[in-house]
Amino acid sequence: MKHILAIALSLSTAAGIFCAGAVKPAFRDASLPLEQRVEDALSRMTTEEKIGIIHAQSKFCSKGVPRLGIPELWTTDGPHGIRPEVLWDEWEQAGWTNDSCVAFPALTCLAATWDPDMSALYGTSIGEEARYRGKDVLLGPGVNIYRTPLNGRNFEYMGEDPYLASRMVVPYVQKLQEQGVAACVKHYALNNNEVNRHTTNVVIDDRTLYEIYLPAFKAAVQEGGAWSIMAAYNLYGDRHLCHNDRLLNKILKEEWGFDGAVISDWGGTHDTREAIEGGLDLEFGSWTNGLSNGASNAYDNYYLARPYLDLISKGEVGTAELDDKARRVLRLIFRTAMAYDKGDGELCSEAHYDAARTIGANGIVLLRNEGGVLPLRTEGRPNILVVGENAIKMMTVGGGSSSLKVQHEISPLEGIRAAAAGIADVDYARGYVGDVTGEYNGVVTGQNLADSRTPQELIAEACAKASKADYVIFVGGLNKSAGQDCEDADRAGLELPYGQDAVIAALAKANPRTIVVNVSGNAVAMPWVKDVPAIVQAWFLGSEAGNSIADVLFGKVNPSGKLPMTFPVALTDNGAHATGSYPGAKREGSDILDLEYKEGIMVGYRWHDTKKVKPLFAFGHGLSYTDFAYGDVKADCKEMTSDGSMTFRIPVTNKGSVPGAETVQLYISDPKCSVTRPAKELKGFCKVFLQPGETRELVFTVDASALSYFDADRHKWVAEPGQFLASVGASSADIRSTAKFTLK
């Protein structure tokens, strides 16, 4: 027995399991500075062990150092909820019964709250769910810029404006990482469309790169302190972004001082030498294409696995890059998997459902409300007809890697019926048939949405019921099927699918109180916009979708969401399409498509405002059930210096009869400049809650950075002396007050 015990103790010591009384190595002492721990661990590792921690060992985890007791690193897809478990080496479901989660609203909805406090709540809540499930890295949030409304993955991002995305991503990252779970901010960078995402080479000038497409990533790194970054699939400068020296080394690590790990998107790595030199730290998902086929359990064949070790063995490459990669991965492990005070977290808690419902309701945007048809009046027990497939279809399943397995999902119809219980009668008509399937990656909704009736029969039934109803609520829009709001494909056009325009037009004729609730992560065309009195933009709202929608429709929550992107009237009103650059041109004799960002810095509202193209609904637009009056904006002085700041004050009053929140937006214009600049740019916002009759003075402070453009020739930000204009308003198209000032 003593002999067996001696062998066990010997084996445990060799494996790095340190028993009581043994000398604890420095890297295991959490009281020591992080860098000291990292260097101590690195000094104890063999070359093979360093190689072992910089590539995956399964679909979603990378190897630790068992000999030293350094644990594995477990990642999980986000950014809207914790992905269900899959088999070790497959995409198929593992068949667990305890891996359901709360689905939080999509990030377009979070951005639409224009509220950093909502972002902090989001980060805390999803971090607690990840911690409970034993995850170390959440693959999100996403901050790629909304360049075209056809991008199938726009619903995962935070809109078209770099300033808004920057302010919203920082609290998410900070609060997520307070839970001991690393943010992996994605997809860095220029991944602004899904079609041809593996073969698109983005051609872009430096000014546009720095002004539009990098600021949110920079804020996540320098202000949020992000511990990891996911590199994108596409190319820039003819080099894939998972091993792009300029983006990963020169900008991310050297200019911004990023000390975390760069993680490849699954299947985004293509070459060992480029990965060694190009800044990739942790390789996931390579196989053959990383997504669907390849040799089973081929992790030793990854580009940063045996091929890297072979190059070192042959003396063809050194180990300096390897040490840097291992050092960065160790930092990530020590910050997450080896953070001993993380606690247990929470999963599917009441607090998380409340958070999802609150964020969802705060992000819903009231686009139109003629005659005050909303909120719904329930005097006399009205008859409410709900129409549309999206009123009953589960939206948490599908869409790509953000697809989830939820404990429950409240549909819009269920939410409306629950809110109407005892005060209104609710009926339902299908209206149209879209995608009746309900399965993604082995998660099955269990819904049977099959309907054999013709479009004419469905419209006839809906209109017959609508003519007898007091209110009609059409719930439609997009879904998460391929070619809509879904990864790996873009939309075919701006219009609604499945003949919904015809359904809405018919309902509007049958009942003048027809309300349209558009569920989507993207702008859609609305040829019927003036035919219906009310339009609500509802996004993909997650587990509590129906309750969030009902809270707004019935007035339990006064809508306060604002659009984080412009809704164009037509696709050609968008800069990427007006210039004819999307989706790129195939290079002769190659699979590569060159996609030139010809609109440059004129993205979204910048294009519309500067080119004087009237939008369907402007960036920042969103109505309320109350009215807000803006006073005159006042500057604290007439001039500011390049090293000083300028403060603007504006009173805002709730002139209506119900409490509500308004997001006041500050835009800066440089009318006379040596370079082309947008008509105005968002440089501040403040969401304020006011009781009826209450007035608050809002204060905005800007410095020279808010007045600057990026001078590519000098590689620096420049604010030219002269006159500037500060505009304060309720949207980019609804400016209420302006003030002039001068930069000396």
Side-chain angles (χ1 to χ4, degrees):
M1 187 68 175
K2 291 181 179 179
H3 178 65
I4 295 174
L5 179 60
I7 292 175
L9 289 171
S10 176
L11 290 173
S12 66
T13 303
I17 302 171
F18 299 95
C19 304
V23 177
K24 183 165 64 174
F27 75 84
R28 299 187 69 86
D29 186 348
S31 68
L32 294 177
L34 175 64
E35 292 308 305
Q36 183 177 341
R37 296 176 64 201
V38 167
E39 294 304 322
D40 179 68
L42 192 67
S43 70
R44 298 169 185 268
M45 293 169 61
T46 65
T47 299
E48 289 78 6
E49 287 170 337
K50 293 173 185 176
I51 291 287
I53 69 169
I54 66 169
H55 66 83
Q57 66 168 354
S58 80
K59 272 286 183 238
F60 283 99
C61 85
S62 62
K63 188 179 182 180
V65 188
R67 181 180 64 86
L68 298 178
I70 297 174
E72 300 165 333
L73 189 74
W74 281 91
T75 70
T76 181
D77 269 316
H80 309 134
I82 311 307
R83 183 174 182 151
E85 303 298 332
V86 298
L87 297 173
W88 181 263
D89 190 45
E90 308 291 340
W91 288 111
E92 283 70 26
Q93 293 296 298
W96 291 19
T97 59
N98 61 346
D99 58 345
S100 297
C101 70
V102 172
F104 296 93
L107 292 189
T108 43
C109 176
L110 177 61
T113 68
W114 289 62
D115 188 344
D117 289 341
M118 288 293 105
S119 186
L121 174 63
Y122 201 123
T124 297
S125 302
I126 199 170
E128 289 173 344
E129 298 244 330
R131 195 173 73 203
Y132 185 93
R133 288 272 299 280
K135 306 304 180 184
D136 304 307
V137 180
L138 180 76
L139 303 176
V143 290
N144 292 99
I145 291 297
Y146 187 110
R147 177 177 179 254
T148 163
L150 299 190
N151 183 5
R153 215 164 182 180
N154 276 335
F155 71 96
E156 291 190 36
Y157 302 140
M158 296 190 181
E160 71 186 26
D161 183 74
Y163 181 83
L164 174 62
S166 296
R167 293 309 93 217
M168 294 301 292
V169 72
V170 169
Y172 184 119
V173 170
Q174 290 173 332
K175 292 299 181 180
L176 170 66
Q177 294 186 166
E178 282 183 12
Q179 310 308 311
V181 178
C184 186
V185 186
K186 62 185 188 183
H187 303 88
Y188 181 74
L190 303 170
N191 190 179
N192 307 111
N193 52 273
E194 287 294 290
V195 64
N196 304 316
R197 61 180 178 171
H198 296 276
T199 55
T200 293
N201 177 56
V202 174
V203 180
I204 185 173
D205 63 273
D206 263 15
R207 182 182 172 200
T208 301
L209 177 68
Y210 274 81
E211 289 192 20
I212 304 297
Y213 296 98
L214 293 185
F217 289 104
K218 182 179 181 181
V221 168
Q222 293 193 331
E223 299 176 56
W227 293 336
S228 62
I229 292 284
M230 180 183 286
Y233 281 131
N234 49 296
L235 299 89
Y236 161 72
D238 284 330
R239 185 64 62 89
H240 279 96
L241 282 165
C242 280
H243 28 76
N244 191 292
D245 178 64
R246 182 158 194 239
L247 266 292
L248 300 183
N249 288 328
K250 300 296 191 299
I251 296 176
L252 176 64
K253 294 179 177 179
E254 294 175 18
E255 285 189 23
W256 300 350
F258 176 65
D259 72 350
V262 174
I263 299 175
S264 72
D265 204 342
W266 271 234
T269 313
H270 301 271
D271 183 87
T272 296
R273 287 184 181 271
E274 287 188 11
I276 293 170
E277 299 168 359
L280 179 64
D281 301 312
L282 183 51
E283 178 188 1
F284 270 97
S286 287
W287 265 16
T288 298
N289 65 14
L291 301 172
S292 62
N293 56 45
S296 293
N297 287 293
Y299 302 102
D300 285 342
N301 295 328
Y302 273 26
Y303 296 101
L304 289 182
R306 187 180 295 119
Y308 192 179
L309 191 59
D310 289 346
L311 290 176
I312 293 174
S313 299
K314 294 174 184 177
E316 295 184 27
V317 299
T319 58
E321 294 93 346
L322 175 59
D323 283 349
D324 182 65
K325 297 176 194 300
R327 185 177 288 115
R328 290 173 179 275
V329 174
L330 285 171
R331 283 194 197 106
L332 185 57
I333 293 172
F334 289 168
R335 286 165 166 165
T336 59
M338 288 185 70
Y340 304 112
D341 57 350
K342 290 201 300 185
D344 296 327
E346 298 178 8
L347 185 69
C348 297
S349 66
E350 183 177 345
H352 292 172
Y353 284 116
D354 287 345
R357 183 171 182 168
T358 299
I359 295 165
N362 275 269
I364 289 174
V365 183
L366 181 61
L367 296 176
R368 179 175 168 87
N369 194 25
E370 294 299 307
V373 68
L374 288 176
L376 299 170
R377 273 69 170 177
T378 56
E379 299 85 358
R381 198 180 180 103
N383 294 310
I384 300 171
L385 174 67
V386 179
V387 181
E389 181 174 283
N390 281 5
I392 58 173
K393 183 177 176 65
M394 286 185 66
M395 293 294 184
T396 54
V397 175
S401 62
S402 63
S403 180
L404 298 171
K405 175 182 174 183
V406 296
Q407 191 179 54
H408 76 247
E409 178 178 344
I410 306 298
S411 72
L413 180 60
E414 290 172 328
I416 291 168
R417 280 183 165 153
I423 58 174
D425 297 313
V426 179
D427 195 6
Y428 174 73
R430 183 65 175 267
Y432 70 94
V433 176
D435 184 352
V436 301
T437 62
E439 187 272 339
Y440 184 84
N441 191 216
V443 177
V444 180
T445 65
Q447 290 185 301
N448 181 7
L449 299 180
D451 196 316
S452 60
R453 289 176 290 175
T454 67
Q456 294 76 19
E457 290 173 327
L458 291 167
I459 291 175
E461 179 201 45
C463 287
K465 290 185 174 184
S467 64
K468 301 174 184 177
D470 294 299
Y471 295 100
V472 176
I473 303 173
F474 176 84
V475 185
L478 307 180
N479 56 39
K480 291 187 178 178
S481 303
Q484 296 198 45
D485 282 322
C486 186
E487 181 182 0
D488 203 25
D490 284 351
R491 299 165 62 196
L494 193 62
E495 66 278 357
L496 289 175
Y498 313 125
Q500 293 178 74
D501 289 335
V503 181
I504 296 170
L507 289 172
K509 289 181 180 178
N511 191 314
R513 286 189 287 187
T514 294
I515 299 154
V516 174
V517 177
N518 182 61
V519 176
S520 73
N522 256 312
V524 301
M526 298 181 181
W528 33 263
V529 63
K530 294 183 179 179
D531 298 330
V532 297
I535 304 172
V536 173
Q537 177 60 34
W539 318 110
F540 298 111
L541 299 177
S543 292
E544 291 291 306
N547 287 331
S548 296
I549 290 170
D551 285 345
V552 170
L553 293 178
F554 284 89
K556 181 178 180 180
V557 172
N558 190 346
S560 62
K562 299 275 189 175
L563 289 180
M565 77 287 286
T566 305
F567 275 44
V569 175
L571 195 57
T572 51
D573 292 344
N574 170 272
H577 297 272
T579 56
S581 66
Y582 172 92
K586 190 171 182 180
R587 192 180 297 177
E588 187 174 354
S590 171
D591 292 332
I592 299 297
L593 285 87
D594 289 309
L595 175 54
E596 184 178 359
Y597 285 23
K598 294 180 181 179
E599 74 282 3
I601 59 172
M602 302 299 178
V603 176
Y605 71 90
R606 290 167 167 81
W607 176 271
H608 284 263
D609 291 352
T610 307
K611 303 293 184 181
K612 295 181 169 54
V613 179
K614 187 176 181 180
L616 179 66
F617 293 107
F619 172 80
H621 171 73
L623 305 177
S624 171
Y625 294 152
T626 190
D627 296 313
F628 297 98
Y630 289 56
D632 293 330
V633 61
K634 303 291 186 183
D636 62 353
C637 58
K638 296 289 186 180
E639 297 178 337
M640 67 176 284
T641 59
S642 59
D643 60 351
S645 62
M646 175 74 74
T647 299
F648 303 96
R649 303 174 187 276
I650 185 167
V652 180
T653 303
N654 182 349
K655 302 288 286 186
S657 58
V658 295
E662 173 71 336
T663 298
V664 180
Q665 302 155 44
L666 173 70
Y667 295 87
I668 298 294
S669 305
D670 186 359
K672 294 181 180 180
C673 186
S674 63
V675 299
T676 300
R677 301 198 68 174
K680 58 180 175 292
E681 297 178 277
L682 181 73
K683 295 299 178 182
F685 62 88
C686 180
K687 192 166 189 175
V688 58
F689 183 86
L690 299 172
Q691 295 291 337
E694 183 182 3
T695 298
R696 288 270 300 276
E697 183 180 70
L698 304 185
V699 179
F700 298 93
T701 300
V702 300
D703 58 21
S705 65
L707 317 181
S708 301
Y709 69 90
F710 187 78
D711 186 322
D713 292 335
R714 291 188 280 173
H715 198 75
K716 63 183 294 187
W717 291 88
V718 174
E720 291 185 345
Q723 191 175 85
F724 287 80
L725 189 67
S727 302
V728 178
S731 79
S732 63
D734 184 9
I735 299 302
R736 305 292 182 87
S737 181
T738 60
K740 295 179 181 179
F741 66 100
T742 301
L743 176 67
K744 295 187 68 175

